[in-house]
């Protein structure tokens, strides 16, 4: 675990400055770029010094499954960017989510989930938490959903934690994070928010009242489609156990190499998010004008039911959008006709990617189950990359014409 303590005094610095300089201050050689400590273990000059490090009397590193200086630099930077005190890095986003959920589950109280969450999180619930006997409840937390009365009754019954995601993957639904946080605080229940889609450059759930924020660093934080990673951030209190128990004992430990690459990616996060948003906004308009498209889901379009909330809680609508075609066949034909945009899962890369949940990420669910998650058969998710905008526009226009 890395404390953002030093970071807090520079919290008045701008986001980009923190992203670029936030990891400095630990290297004895004052290297501009944080050094890569590619080591499994650390040695001690004698047993007395070892005792001081092991007892916590003196700061130091012991074994990289527990902590590593390169990984600690990353944890410190992401904690600063999210406005949290502490961060813990993981080998993947699912590593971070699993650790947070197991931490919540120790309360032995039911865990409450937004119905509109990432499919891996959903599978963790059905394939891990439920078989282990951990009670789980789903509620509709969308701003255009059933309202927060469902959440209130679940909180009345007692809950060990609440988990949501906004904008959601792949349905692009918006949750009013401040409103959900306020309700959870009223009942003293911790709230974790998956902030992967907006990244810390566009949304900071902790500043809106959430307890913990989780990221798949595989996506925008790394930003180059070349690694897997995850990060959880919260108050020192909220992260203490996760950093010392769930993190090291689950063993989903981030490689220092990947930590170093994510640190490098973060330096350009803000610029990339601006460029992703610009391109996604332009493509969303293009889709909205097409008669082949039944619905465009992009929080930056005034037609999106979460538009006003998104404007309040996000600094930009981001690079993700979903488009609904008439059906499965139309979705497939559109995807086959794309040339610049590649077919593939994952997101947040410089390369634009298109995914069809009914055929790919959500193929294991029935049509009805997908509908209940807000995913019609013809929904296609686009991760708008950083290619030249005219090339993307021509690619999409031609694919729409092929329908
Ligand atoms: C990809 C993703 C995850 C899981 O992250 P991995 O790094 O693939 O384990 C979690 N949440 C969201 C919203 C994602 O898009």
């Amino acid at each position: 675990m890395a404390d953002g303590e030093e970071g807090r005094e520079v919290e008045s610095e701008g986001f980009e400055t923190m992203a670029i300089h936030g990891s400095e201050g630990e290297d004895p050689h004052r290297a501009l770029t944080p050094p890569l400590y590619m080591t499994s273990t650390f040695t001690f000059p004698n047993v007395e010094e070892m005792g001081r490090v092991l007892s916590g009397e003196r700061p130091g590193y012991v074994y990289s499954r527990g902590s590593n200086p390169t990984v600690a630099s990353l944890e410190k930077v992401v904690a600063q960017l999210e406005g949290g005190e502490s961060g813990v890095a993981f080998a993947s986003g699912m590593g971070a989510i699993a650790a947070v959920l197991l931490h919540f589950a120790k309360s032995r109280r039911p865990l409450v989930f937004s119905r509109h969450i990432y499919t891996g999180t959903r599978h963790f619930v059905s394939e891990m938490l439920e078989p282990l006997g951990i009670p789980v409840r789903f509620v509709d937390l969308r701003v255009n959903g059933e309202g927060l009365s469902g959440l209130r009754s679940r909180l009345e019954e007692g809950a060990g934690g609440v988990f949501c995601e906004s904008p959601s993957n792949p349905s692009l639904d918006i949750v009013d994070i401040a409103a959900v946080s306020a309700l959870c605080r009223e009942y003293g229940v911790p709230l974790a928010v998956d902030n992967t889609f907006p990244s810390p450059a566009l949304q900071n759930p902790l500043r809106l009242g959430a307890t913990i924020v989780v990221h798949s660093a595989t996506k925008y934080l790394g930003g180059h489609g070349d690694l897997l990673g995850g990060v959880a951030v919260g108050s020192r209190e909220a992260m203490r156990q996760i950093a010392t128990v769930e993190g090291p004992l689950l063993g989903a430990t981030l490689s220092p190499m990947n930590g170093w690459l994510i640190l490098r990616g973060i330096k350009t996060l803000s610029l990339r998010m601006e460029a992703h948003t610009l391109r996604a906004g332009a493509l969303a308009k293009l889709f909205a004008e097409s008669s082949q498209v039944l619905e465009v889901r992009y929080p930056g379009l005034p037609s999106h039911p979460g538009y006003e909330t998104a404007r309040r809680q996000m600094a930009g609508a981001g690079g993700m959008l979903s488009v609904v075609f008439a059906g499965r066949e139309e979705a497939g034909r559109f995807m086959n006709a794309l040339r610049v945009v590649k077919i593939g899962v994952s997101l947040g890369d410089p390369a634009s990617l298109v995914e069809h949940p009914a055929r790919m990420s959500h193929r294991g669910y029935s049509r009805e189950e997908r509908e209940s998650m807000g995913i019609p058969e013809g929904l296609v998710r686009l991760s708008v990359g950083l290619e030249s905008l005219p090339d993307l526009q021509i690619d999409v226009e031609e694919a729409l014409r092929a329908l």
Side-chain angles (χ1 to χ4, degrees):
M1 169 171 65
D3 280 348
E5 200 162 14
E6 279 173 77
R8 261 195 305 172
E9 73 199 44
V10 295
E11 209 175 55
S12 54
E13 277 184 350
F15 185 92
E16 291 85 351
T17 311
M18 289 194 285
I20 292 165
H21 293 290
S23 64
E24 288 165 9
E26 316 221 320
D27 180 45
H29 305 295
R30 301 181 55 84
L32 176 63
T33 301
L36 169 54
Y37 287 91
M38 202 66 184
T39 183
S40 54
T41 198
F42 301 83
T43 61
F44 302 97
N46 51 58
V47 291
E48 289 77 19
E49 180 62 15
M50 178 185 76
R52 284 189 279 273
V53 171
L54 290 179
S55 69
E57 186 187 326
R58 175 139 344 144
Y61 294 92
V62 178
Y63 185 52
S64 285
R65 181 154 50 71
S67 55
N68 171 285
T70 308
V71 174
S73 293
L74 169 68
E75 291 165 336
K76 183 173 140 190
V77 172
V78 182
Q80 281 179 61
L81 297 182
E82 282 291 11
E85 289 173 348
S86 287
V88 188
F90 292 87
S92 66
M94 278 315 300
I97 290 166
V100 169
L101 294 180
L102 290 176
H103 176 68
F104 282 173
K106 284 177 166 175
S107 68
R108 310 200 65 82
R109 297 210 183 107
L111 303 190
V112 183
F113 291 85
S114 161
R115 236 189 277 286
H116 305 86
I117 48 169
Y118 172 65
T119 179
T121 311
R122 185 99 184 187
H123 277 126
F124 190 79
V125 171
S126 60
E127 310 303 316
M128 298 285 284
L129 296 181
E130 289 185 317
L132 287 170
I134 295 153
V136 166
R137 316 272 184 250
F138 283 97
V139 289
D140 185 351
L141 291 180
R142 297 172 301 170
V143 289
N144 52 321
E146 296 160 4
L148 294 186
S149 58
L151 175 62
R152 186 181 285 280
S153 28
R154 291 313 184 191
L155 293 170
E156 282 291 344
E157 292 163 13
V162 176
F163 189 100
C164 71
E165 188 177 308
S166 182
S168 63
N169 182 0
S171 59
L172 270 297
D173 286 305
I174 299 292
V175 173
D176 185 335
I177 299 172
V180 170
S181 301
L183 196 52
C184 290
R185 276 173 190 269
E186 203 181 311
Y187 288 86
V189 175
L191 169 69
V193 179
D194 185 333
N195 204 35
T196 299
F197 265 31
S199 93
L202 301 183
Q203 179 172 279
N204 299 128
L206 299 178
R207 296 189 211 274
L208 298 165
T211 322
I212 293 174
V213 52
V214 293
H215 281 283
S216 167
T218 312
K219 315 294 169 54
Y220 291 108
L221 291 178
H224 293 78
D226 50 9
L227 57 87
L228 281 100
V231 188
V233 174
S235 66
R236 199 167 292 114
E237 178 63 24
M239 301 314 287
R240 186 174 291 125
Q241 261 210 28
I242 293 172
T244 55
V245 180
E246 287 84 10
L249 295 185
L250 269 173
T253 309
L254 183 68
S255 158
M257 180 75 224
N258 286 355
W260 188 86
L261 285 168
I262 299 166
L263 275 167
R264 181 166 73 167
I266 285 175
K267 288 177 200 275
T268 55
L269 176 64
S270 187
L271 278 174
R272 285 188 285 109
M273 291 317 291
E274 254 174 62
H276 283 295
T277 303
L278 180 93
R279 286 159 180 72
L283 293 191
K285 283 201 192 108
L286 213 163
F287 281 118
E289 285 159 10
S290 166
S291 58
Q292 305 288 346
V293 173
L294 305 189
E295 191 189 344
V296 185
R297 299 197 192 164
Y298 184 62
L301 287 183
S303 59
H304 191 291
Y307 176 71
E308 285 302 331
T309 311
R311 262 172 65 111
R312 247 186 294 123
Q313 67 190 17
M314 297 175 77
M320 298 300 303
L321 63 95
S322 286
V323 177
V324 182
F325 293 103
R328 197 184 173 89
E329 286 318 307
E330 289 79 358
R333 253 184 284 144
F334 171 76
M335 289 166 72
N336 282 342
L338 290 166
R339 293 289 169 263
V340 178
V341 181
K342 307 299 176 201
I343 300 175
V345 293
S346 200
L347 57 106
D349 300 347
S352 293
L353 291 166
V354 65
E355 196 253 335
H356 185 198
R359 275 196 176 89
M360 299 161 76
S361 59
H362 292 68
R363 67 185 181 284
Y365 292 103
S366 70
R367 203 185 163 117
E368 293 69 33
E369 284 171 322
R370 282 194 294 268
E371 288 286 347
S372 79
M373 300 173 197
I375 307 166
E377 291 304 286
L379 183 139
V380 161
R381 186 195 74 188
L382 227 87
S383 170
V384 181
L386 301 173
E387 297 94 341
S388 310
L389 179 56
D391 292 338
L392 291 173
Q393 285 167 318
I394 292 167
D395 201 31
V396 164
E397 276 165 7
E398 286 183 352
L400 286 172
R401 265 200 294 277
L403 280 172

